[in-house]
Tab-separated table of all heavy atoms in Angstrom:
chain	number	residue	atom	x	y	z
A	15	TYR	N	20.973	-8.097	5.581
A	15	TYR	CA	21.063	-6.650	5.384
A	15	TYR	C	21.613	-6.017	6.632
A	15	TYR	O	21.341	-6.527	7.748
A	15	TYR	CB	19.694	-6.103	5.077
A	15	TYR	CG	19.603	-4.588	4.875
A	15	TYR	CD1	19.959	-4.058	3.669
A	15	TYR	CD2	19.225	-3.745	5.884
A	15	TYR	CE1	19.951	-2.661	3.435
A	15	TYR	CE2	19.194	-2.363	5.696
A	15	TYR	CZ	19.561	-1.824	4.456
A	15	TYR	OH	19.539	-0.470	4.299
A	16	GLU	N	22.408	-5.006	6.490
A	16	GLU	CA	22.927	-4.277	7.635
A	16	GLU	C	23.118	-2.784	7.264
A	16	GLU	O	23.548	-2.446	6.137
A	16	GLU	CB	24.312	-4.844	7.979
A	16	GLU	CG	25.050	-4.128	9.090
A	16	GLU	CD	26.391	-4.684	9.375
A	16	GLU	OE1	26.795	-5.708	8.715
A	16	GLU	OE2	27.046	-4.198	10.243
A	17	ARG	N	22.779	-1.922	8.158
A	17	ARG	CA	22.923	-0.506	7.946
A	17	ARG	C	23.164	0.196	9.269
A	17	ARG	O	22.434	-0.100	10.277
A	17	ARG	CB	21.669	0.105	7.267
A	17	ARG	CG	21.855	1.579	7.047
A	17	ARG	CD	20.840	2.125	6.101
A	17	ARG	NE	21.153	3.570	5.925
A	17	ARG	CZ	20.431	4.328	5.165
A	17	ARG	NH1	19.353	3.848	4.569
A	17	ARG	NH2	20.728	5.587	5.009
A	18	THR	N	24.090	1.157	9.305
A	18	THR	CA	24.316	1.991	10.472
A	18	THR	C	23.666	3.322	10.226
A	18	THR	O	23.881	3.953	9.152
A	18	THR	CB	25.816	2.124	10.706
A	18	THR	OG1	26.396	0.848	10.975
A	18	THR	CG2	26.044	3.001	11.928
A	19	ILE	N	22.897	3.779	11.200
A	19	ILE	CA	22.184	5.049	11.110
A	19	ILE	C	22.855	5.930	12.186
A	19	ILE	O	22.747	5.600	13.354
A	19	ILE	CB	20.697	4.885	11.325
A	19	ILE	CG1	20.109	3.889	10.268
A	19	ILE	CG2	19.945	6.228	11.280
A	19	ILE	CD1	18.835	3.261	10.667
A	20	ASP	N	23.424	7.033	11.763
A	20	ASP	CA	24.125	7.913	12.772
A	20	ASP	C	23.436	9.258	12.845
A	20	ASP	O	22.409	9.508	12.251
A	20	ASP	CB	25.580	8.042	12.380
A	20	ASP	CG	25.838	8.629	10.980
A	20	ASP	OD1	24.823	8.948	10.308
A	20	ASP	OD2	26.971	8.744	10.568
A	21	LYS	N	24.078	10.126	13.627
A	21	LYS	CA	23.554	11.497	13.874
A	21	LYS	C	22.185	11.477	14.574
A	21	LYS	O	21.348	12.290	14.275
A	21	LYS	CB	23.521	12.361	12.594
A	21	LYS	CG	24.912	12.512	11.986
A	21	LYS	CD	24.826	13.365	10.733
A	21	LYS	CE	26.233	13.414	10.123
A	21	LYS	NZ	26.234	14.160	8.835
A	22	LEU	N	22.005	10.464	15.435
A	22	LEU	CA	20.737	10.360	16.203
A	22	LEU	C	20.884	11.098	17.548
A	22	LEU	O	21.976	11.488	17.957
A	22	LEU	CB	20.351	8.906	16.419
A	22	LEU	CG	20.123	8.115	15.111
A	22	LEU	CD1	19.987	6.641	15.402
A	22	LEU	CD2	18.874	8.608	14.444
A	23	CYS	N	19.777	11.274	18.245
A	23	CYS	CA	19.813	11.959	19.533
A	23	CYS	C	20.194	11.047	20.694
A	23	CYS	O	19.587	10.027	20.918
A	23	CYS	CB	18.380	12.504	19.849
A	23	CYS	SG	17.840	13.673	18.566
A	24	SER	N	21.232	11.502	21.381
A	24	SER	CA	21.730	10.707	22.565
A	24	SER	C	20.677	10.712	23.672
A	24	SER	O	19.987	11.710	23.845
A	24	SER	CB	23.036	11.316	23.085
A	24	SER	OG	23.993	11.251	22.078
A	25	GLY	N	20.633	9.607	24.411
A	25	GLY	CA	19.771	9.495	25.545
A	25	GLY	C	18.245	9.493	25.264
A	25	GLY	O	17.471	9.741	26.148
A	26	LYS	N	17.865	9.213	24.080
A	26	LYS	CA	16.490	9.213	23.665
A	26	LYS	C	16.006	7.827	23.298
A	26	LYS	O	16.761	6.969	22.950
A	26	LYS	CB	16.263	10.168	22.487
A	26	LYS	CG	16.627	11.601	22.722
A	26	LYS	CD	15.701	12.221	23.746
A	26	LYS	CE	16.063	13.694	23.914
A	26	LYS	NZ	15.232	14.305	24.943
A	27	THR	N	14.645	7.642	23.334
A	27	THR	CA	14.032	6.475	22.872
A	27	THR	C	13.832	6.513	21.361
A	27	THR	O	13.276	7.517	20.900
A	27	THR	CB	12.706	6.213	23.568
A	27	THR	OG1	12.904	6.119	24.983
A	27	THR	CG2	12.060	4.916	23.064
Side-chain angles (χ1 to χ4, degrees):
Y15 180 80
E16 176 181 1
R17 180 167 184 182
T18 299
I19 303 160
D20 59 1
K21 299 180 183 175
L22 297 170
C23 299
S24 300
K26 299 293 182 182
T27 300

